[in-house]
Amino acid sequence: MDARTEMLRMIRRRRDGFSLEQPFYIDPDFFRLDMELVWYRDWLFVGHDCEIAKPGSFFTVQVGDYPVVIVRDREGRIRAFHNSCRHRGSRVCNAERGMSARLVCPYHQWTYDLDGKLLFARQMAEGFDKGAFGLKPVACESVGGYVFICLADEPADFAPFRALMQPYFAPHRLTEAKIAHESTIVEKGNWKLVWENNRECYHCAGNHPELCKTFPEAPTVTGVNGAESDPEMLDHWAKCEAAGLPARFRIDAAGQYRATRAPLLRDAVSYTMTGKRAVRKSLSAQVAVERIGTLMLYHYPTTWNHILDDHAVTFRVLPISATETAVTTKWLVHKDAIEGVDYDLAELIHVWTETNDQDRRIVEENAFGIKSPAYEPGPYSELHEGGVIQFVDWYARFIESRLAEGGKPALRSVA
């Protein structure tokens, strides 16, 4: 039985409220299908506008087999291209980030403008048409200071996500931020295990002492059900909305993305060991409300986020293999905040640096156990793991429809 048929069969026999069968977490052929049917066809968070603030600035990202470069052109537009020279395929940009007036392939110096047009191809035959060999574009959208790309031939409509996200994020001025710190860890586990771990705080009390000083473990905060009947959440939403901050839990019909605000514990205003501000200069615009808590955004399969009054912590998930996942964390502060004056870097990053490493160990132990021949799907806690159930349900529905319809090529055509 081929992998596509076997995956579809397992999806259709899946027990509601249970974890997935072993191949979904360890099998290279199932991983290849995940890449083809999810990662190469959906909108993916890759970085922030502020990382490419000036024309000519760029950063690169690797999504499975696809190297991509994201650049700001001369008119200030953010563009994305396949990072593969149209001559013989070499990567054009081999640095993680940089600044350049042109994109020049280091192999034979084919030179591209910031809009992807081929400007120069050394010693080609007479009549060579440069216009036919520009960099291949990748669909790219920017909203609320976030940059998303899509590798599909026909990307899904981005407008519904923009409509949900933009009102929540506008007050936080992430387009006027800067990256204070960035770290990437490789977790030796499947990307779905990374997400399952993230989508519950059932494990927090026993594993995250630093985070639990400020972040509530309540399933109404971490999950998808019950917030509308939680008095603390309702009070927090009312307070925020009275000050003009959208706050209520909103989720799209397919369950792929959602946003909400949640209070932090007691008098905490930031993710620090004391609960006090980590950054003196506010990232957010002035609002007539204290303790706005955290704005949480989730967008499967690539990102979860915590946006506070003084800083933001954003997370990007990128699969490497069936059993390896890269998680990149970025701490954003106001562009004018000065390290050592407005914030202490060690204090700013401490809670999530520790939490990330703790989560890495959790995921790796989970992955290690799943490799056992004795593993079989187990039941999730309906009380504490509603968010995990929702994620697995989303994944199963999402990939089942694509398995049933057959795969489509991911590479976008050149206009």
Side-chain angles (χ1 to χ4, degrees):
M1 187 181 297
D2 66 277
R4 180 183 293 269
T5 302
E6 178 68 1
M7 179 183 271
L8 185 58
R9 184 179 69 86
M10 288 186 176
I11 284 286
R12 287 177 171 170
R13 76 182 187 194
R14 183 179 70 94
R15 294 178 66 182
D16 289 342
F18 278 66
S19 58
L20 298 167
E21 295 189 55
Q22 187 184 59
F24 287 95
Y25 300 118
I26 68 172
D27 187 273
D29 290 331
F30 276 43
F31 174 76
R32 177 182 55 80
L33 288 168
D34 275 358
M35 298 305 294
E36 291 177 1
L37 300 178
V38 179
W39 292 86
Y40 296 164
R41 292 180 59 180
D42 200 44
W43 288 102
L44 310 174
F45 165 64
V46 289
H48 294 283
D49 298 45
C50 65
E51 298 180 69
I52 43 174
K54 297 179 180 178
S57 52
F58 69 87
F59 65 84
T60 58
V61 65
Q62 185 76 29
V63 182
D65 293 332
Y66 292 94
V68 178
V69 57
I70 296 89
V71 62
R72 191 178 291 271
D73 69 17
R74 299 182 198 289
E75 286 70 45
R77 178 182 173 185
I78 298 175
R79 297 175 178 266
F81 301 100
H82 288 281
N83 190 11
S84 178
C85 184
R86 295 299 307 283
H87 177 212
R88 286 170 57 186
S90 175
R91 281 195 303 176
V92 176
C93 300
N94 53 25
E96 289 186 9
R97 62 187 70 250
M99 172 75 72
S100 181
R102 303 282 190 273
L103 304 180
V104 182
C105 178
Y107 197 177
H108 300 97
Q109 291 74 56
W110 278 36
T111 302
Y112 302 88
D113 206 349
L114 301 178
D115 62 2
K117 293 177 182 177
L118 179 62
L119 297 175
F120 176 72
R122 187 165 56 90
Q123 297 178 357
M124 297 299 288
E126 185 176 350
F128 172 71
D129 181 10
K130 295 195 300 291
F133 294 94
L135 291 174
K136 292 186 176 182
V138 173
C140 183
E141 294 281 355
S142 172
V143 57
Y146 285 63
V147 179
F148 285 78
I149 64 169
C150 182
L151 294 161
D153 281 328
E154 299 178 3
D157 187 5
F158 193 78
F161 174 66
R162 181 186 299 278
L164 184 147
M165 177 188 177
Q166 199 158 25
Y168 283 84
F169 277 73
H172 298 283
R173 304 186 299 185
L174 294 187
T175 56
E176 301 176 39
K178 67 178 180 181
I179 307 296
H181 187 70
E182 175 180 341
S183 72
T184 296
I185 60 174
V186 174
E187 302 186 11
K188 295 179 181 178
N190 187 271
W191 68 274
K192 294 185 290 298
L193 291 181
V194 173
W195 266 109
E196 289 189 40
N197 176 65
N198 171 266
R199 292 310 309 119
E200 48 91 355
C201 219
Y202 195 24
H203 71 278
C204 288
N207 293 276
H208 297 320
E210 294 84 4
L211 184 62
C212 285
K213 289 182 178 296
T214 54
F215 185 71
E217 301 172 68
T220 51
V221 173
T222 58
V224 294
N225 299 310
E228 292 81 0
S229 59
D230 182 332
E232 188 174 1
M233 289 291 282
L234 292 173
D235 287 347
H236 186 71
W237 292 345
K239 179 179 69 173
C240 290
E241 289 175 351
L245 295 175
R248 290 182 179 273
F249 179 90
R250 289 188 61 196
I251 186 167
D252 84 301
Q256 184 174 19
Y257 50 85
R258 60 189 178 275
T260 191
R261 294 186 191 274
L264 300 183
L265 293 176
R266 296 175 290 278
D267 295 326
V269 296
S270 193
Y271 291 129
T272 60
M273 294 299 289
T274 64
K276 296 179 180 179
R277 297 177 66 90
V279 186
R280 291 192 180 94
K281 186 176 290 293
S282 288
L283 175 63
S284 308
Q286 290 297 110
V287 291
V289 61
E290 295 181 355
R291 298 184 62 227
I292 63 172
T294 178
L295 167 60
M296 296 184 291
L297 171 76
Y298 303 89
H299 189 296
Y300 303 146
T302 43
T303 188
W304 65 83
N305 304 263
H306 290 269
I307 315 302
L308 307 160
D309 178 59
D310 64 332
H311 74 282
V313 191
T314 71
F315 303 83
R316 185 187 70 195
V317 176
L318 287 175
I320 299 172
S321 70
T323 55
E324 292 179 300
T325 307
V327 178
T328 297
T329 306
K330 298 179 182 182
W331 288 261
L332 284 75
V333 300
H334 191 274
K335 63 181 180 180
D336 296 327
I338 301 171
E339 182 182 349
V341 176
D342 294 304
Y343 64 94
D344 176 81
L345 184 61
E347 180 185 38
L348 175 69
I349 70 173
H350 177 74
V351 168
W352 279 108
T353 297
E354 295 299 312
T355 302
N356 285 346
D357 191 56
Q358 292 151 5
D359 279 331
R360 176 191 60 77
R361 295 196 298 268
I362 291 166
V363 168
E364 291 180 356
E365 287 298 326
N366 195 184
F368 196 85
I370 285 174
K371 291 179 182 177
S372 169
Y375 167 80
E376 61 182 51
Y380 296 118
S381 164
E382 291 184 6
L383 175 61
H384 288 284
E385 295 175 303
V388 186
I389 294 171
Q390 190 273 334
F391 165 72
V392 175
D393 285 348
W394 166 81
Y395 167 79
R397 289 193 307 268
F398 198 74
I399 204 163
E400 180 182 3
S401 64
R402 295 182 174 186
L403 287 165
E405 74 185 15
K408 295 180 180 178
L411 190 63
R412 302 183 72 241
S413 301
V414 178

